[in-house]
Amino acid sequence: MSDQSGFFQRVYEVVKQIPYGYVTSYGSIAEYLGSKGSARMVGWAMNGSHNMPENIPAHRVVNRNGMLTGKRHFGGPDVMKELLESEGILVENDQIIHFKKKFWNPAEKLR
DNA sequence: TGATTGACCAACT
DNA sequence: CAGTTGGCCAATC
């Protein structure tokens, strides 16, 4: 049975709706879900995204500083960076350039 | 089954 | 100004 009662499911739904070439933050997703304290859980959910039957663009989710904190969970030290640059997002020193310009806030876009 | 951790964020000291 | 703590939920030890 699909557990719709899971916090993770809701996170996946939001992450999957992130448009190409844009990024968001863990805290913003958590805040959209109604709990900014659950920002850590968003990262946890991404950890289980590999078990998801669908493709979760977890590389479009970074921390509040636009830093690729979870790059090491992609199986490589620069996999996340390559994915972001592949979408037109410039990354330098594990940090997204013009992050504010590429930021996609679910609380404002999805509402 | 209780305690700890975990891809975070913000407030307090 | 920098370090610590609290908060949230779920998974691992």
Side-chain angles (χ1 to χ4, degrees):
Chain A
M1 302 306 212
S2 310
D3 0 285
Q4 296 181 341
S5 311
F7 195 94
F8 288 25
Q9 287 286 0
R10 268 183 263 179
V11 176
Y12 298 141
E13 288 292 302
V14 177
V15 176
K16 285 191 297 186
Q17 290 175 77
I18 301 175
Y20 179 92
Y22 279 87
V23 291
T24 188
S25 60
Y26 304 100
S28 298
I29 296 173
E31 186 178 311
Y32 170 69
L33 297 177
S35 302
K36 37 184 168 182
S38 303
R40 308 202 296 195
M41 315 284 63
V42 178
W44 236 221
M46 303 276 89
N47 195 12
S49 64
H50 296 281
N51 235 335
M52 275 268 113
E54 304 203 60
N55 180 22
I56 308 296
H59 59 274
R60 294 183 186 150
V61 185
V62 293
N63 70 356
R64 194 58 179 167
N65 281 311
M67 196 172 211
L68 282 56
T69 48
K71 64 167 186 177
R72 44 180 173 172
H73 290 272
F74 280 82
D78 287 312
V79 176
M80 189 174 185
K81 178 181 174 183
E82 291 293 312
L83 288 169
L84 289 170
E85 290 188 331
S86 182
E87 297 191 357
I89 300 172
L90 302 178
V91 178
E92 183 174 300
N93 196 16
D94 297 335
Q95 186 178 317
I96 296 178
I97 305 182
H98 306 270
F99 171 65
K100 186 178 178 182
K101 188 178 290 189
K102 299 288 186 179
F103 182 65
W104 180 81
N105 190 340
E108 291 187 357
K109 306 301 180 182
L110 299 177
R111 212 111 64 98

